[in-house]
Amino acid sequence: KCTLATGTCDPPKATCTNATTSQPVGGPAKDCTPYACDPATGACLGDCTTSDRCAPGYACADRACVPSAAPVTEDGGCTIDPRRKEGWAWPAALLALGWLGRRRRGTRSA
């Protein structure tokens, strides 16, 4: 940070090593998640007004970064469990056999 009046600059206290990590000078790296690291100061942001102040995968809601919803995909509709197709074959076959058996008994007594 530089001061125009005095023409001096203070060394940075931290730098961003990526979008969500602040690296203080002489200290351990700090994960800023759910917020982004501010490239101007190297510090983790502490609130948001827009989602670009949030870490990837987070969105700004009421001045806080919260996990964003899973992306919605348009794949054309619903899916059906393939096991359900097989589930109707056995009961239908048993009903058909039972019906045929009753029919045969009915023709014998006539």
Side-chain angles (χ1 to χ4, degrees):
K1 186 174 179 180
C2 297
T3 307
L4 289 176
T6 62
T8 60
C9 295
D10 295 330
K13 294 181 181 177
T15 56
C16 296
T17 59
N18 62 37
T20 59
T21 306
S22 173
Q23 178 67 59
V25 174
K30 180 182 178 193
D31 182 12
C32 300
T33 306
Y35 297 97
C37 184
D38 182 2
T41 64
C44 295
L45 297 170
D47 67 356
C48 63
T49 51
T50 60
S51 293
D52 64 338
R53 293 177 59 94
C54 299
Y58 289 81
C60 186
D62 297 323
R63 299 187 61 86
C65 293
V66 296
S68 56
V72 176
T73 59
E74 294 293 329
D75 60 2
C78 300
T79 60
I80 297 173
D81 186 352
R83 293 173 290 176
R84 297 297 286 168
K85 286 190 259 181
E86 295 172 7
W88 289 98
W90 284 107
L94 289 175
L95 283 173
L97 287 173
W99 180 75
L100 285 173
R102 286 189 79 171
R103 223 177 139 179
R104 289 182 103 197
R105 274 192 233 149
T107 58
R108 283 185 191 165
S109 49

